[in-house]
Amino acid sequence: MKHLLSIEKLSGADMRQILSAGAVLKRERGQHSSQPLAGQTWALIFSKSSTRTRVSFEVGVSELGGRPMFLSAADIQLGRGEPIRDTARVMGRMLHGAVFRTFAQSDVEEFARFSGIPTINALTDEEHPCQILADVLTIEERLGGIAGKVVTFVGDGACNVANSWIFAAAKLDLEVRIAAPRAFQPDAALLKRAGGKVIITEDLTAAAAGADVLYTDVWVSMGKEAESEDRIRALGGYQINQSLVKLAKPGALVMHCLPAYRGKEIDEATFEANADTIFSEAENRLHVQKAVLEWVGG
Ligand code: CP
Ligand code: NVA
């Protein structure tokens, strides 16, 4: 039984396999000869909002021949306090796989353990593995490879997307730089677990110098809304803008997992100048997640 629960637990070889399959699925979209999920129903259980992840998984499951079943956590008994392990045991007896977006990483892991069906992490507070796989595919398409590249993450360096980048560093042999104020830097235990070439700094200018990719995410992640004002104050300045881009390598990519808040983590001009990369990154969620679906359950 395979699951995709985190970048931390995914081997470099499995990442490579998923990325290659995603590139083929992208090229051959609309001409797939096999429907590996034919006759299957996959649950999409979401405890948080989503546009890209929900749409890409609904389309992806359908294109592979399966039936997606979207379940807002608020509408099922999970939202009224039914334990994860009971929800998982019910779903495991009726469904063929599950895609789960929630808060605690341990909840996705518990679901996988008790359901006995392939389970995919569609974002937790700790990781966003599908996002990083799509990002890497985008970088490989545009820069010809990922090994040896420098990816500079700007903003909330302790968020799920930053964490998944940190875990990707050692597995794909790239350098990840996190530019964030001290209170928004990843914790030491996570860095130790990850290993790899990871630089943490408050110095945004130094972090951007010579980077191949400048990457950002929202300052206020889902679930952190009560901290909005403090975060916007503390993270002010940790923005990707035209002057920061000038410090990066000529032709550097500017990437954003979306949704974007213009004037906060990125300015309008920089966002629009890089819209083609950013929306290809969003599109690649579909292709790479189809590869993930095949890898875990096809
Ligand atoms: N990037 C991403 O996961 O977007 P959604 O929250 O819209 O799914
Ligand atoms: N860090 C963001 C990612 C959104 C896709 C969040 O968790 O809200």
Side-chain angles (χ1 to χ4, degrees), residues 7-254:
I7 296 292
E8 179 177 12
K9 299 278 161 59
L10 191 63
S11 72
D14 286 338
M15 279 180 92
R16 289 257 53 96
Q17 189 188 329
I18 292 166
L19 289 161
S20 311
V24 173
L25 286 162
K26 181 171 184 174
R27 237 182 358 258
E28 296 177 354
R29 189 174 180 208
Q31 310 153 39
H32 303 329
S33 48
S34 77
Q35 296 236 293
L37 304 188
Q40 300 193 5
T41 302
W42 281 61
L44 275 59
I45 311 157
F46 280 55
S47 306
K48 293 176 175 172
S49 303
S50 172
T51 299
R52 281 144 289 272
T53 309
R54 176 177 175 178
V55 172
S56 53
F57 269 113
E58 290 208 33
V59 172
V61 170
S62 302
E63 289 190 4
L64 295 178
R67 178 176 179 276
M69 177 188 281
F70 181 78
L71 299 166
S72 161
D75 295 337
I76 57 176
Q77 300 289 4
L78 183 65
R80 298 181 66 249
E82 185 169 18
I84 298 275
R85 58 187 61 191
D86 295 355
T87 306
R89 281 179 283 190
V90 171
M91 293 198 180
R93 284 166 183 257
M94 300 184 195
L95 295 160
H96 301 90
V99 176
F100 192 7
R101 168 170 286 201
T102 192
F103 295 86
Q105 176 71 19
S106 57
D107 283 353
V108 175
E109 287 169 7
E110 186 174 334
F111 187 96
R113 201 163 60 248
F114 280 87
S115 66
I117 53 176
T119 301
I120 298 170
N121 175 357
L123 178 147
T124 61
D125 291 343
E126 201 168 300
E127 279 228 33
H128 196 359
C130 295
Q131 181 68 53
I132 269 51
L133 288 166
D135 296 340
V136 173
L137 179 62
T138 311
I139 293 169
E140 293 191 324
E141 286 173 343
R142 288 175 182 247
L143 300 182
I146 186 90
K149 297 286 188 293
V150 174
V151 174
T152 296
F153 182 100
V154 178
D156 177 6
C159 79
N160 40 20
V161 173
N163 288 345
S164 291
W165 268 117
I166 289 167
F167 286 118
K171 297 178 197 261
L172 296 176
D173 191 25
L174 69 141
E175 177 175 326
V176 171
R177 301 179 187 162
I178 305 285
R182 204 162 283 278
F184 293 90
Q185 294 182 352
D187 68 74
L190 182 141
L191 291 170
K192 197 163 172 222
R193 263 158 46 211
K197 201 164 182 199
V198 179
I199 293 163
I200 312 294
T201 178
E202 287 184 290
D203 185 344
L204 181 55
T205 304
D212 296 282
V213 177
L214 296 178
Y215 191 108
T216 193
D217 182 8
V218 295
W219 287 347
V220 184
S221 282
M222 292 180 281
K224 306 284 186 198
E225 292 79 4
E227 301 170 11
S228 280
E229 272 183 36
D230 291 347
R231 285 174 163 262
I232 289 167
R233 203 175 314 113
L235 288 158
Y238 285 85
Q239 182 189 68
I240 300 186
N241 52 35
Q242 304 290 67
S243 41
L244 198 74
V245 171
K246 288 202 186 88
L247 303 174
K249 211 175 249 179
L253 301 180
V254 171

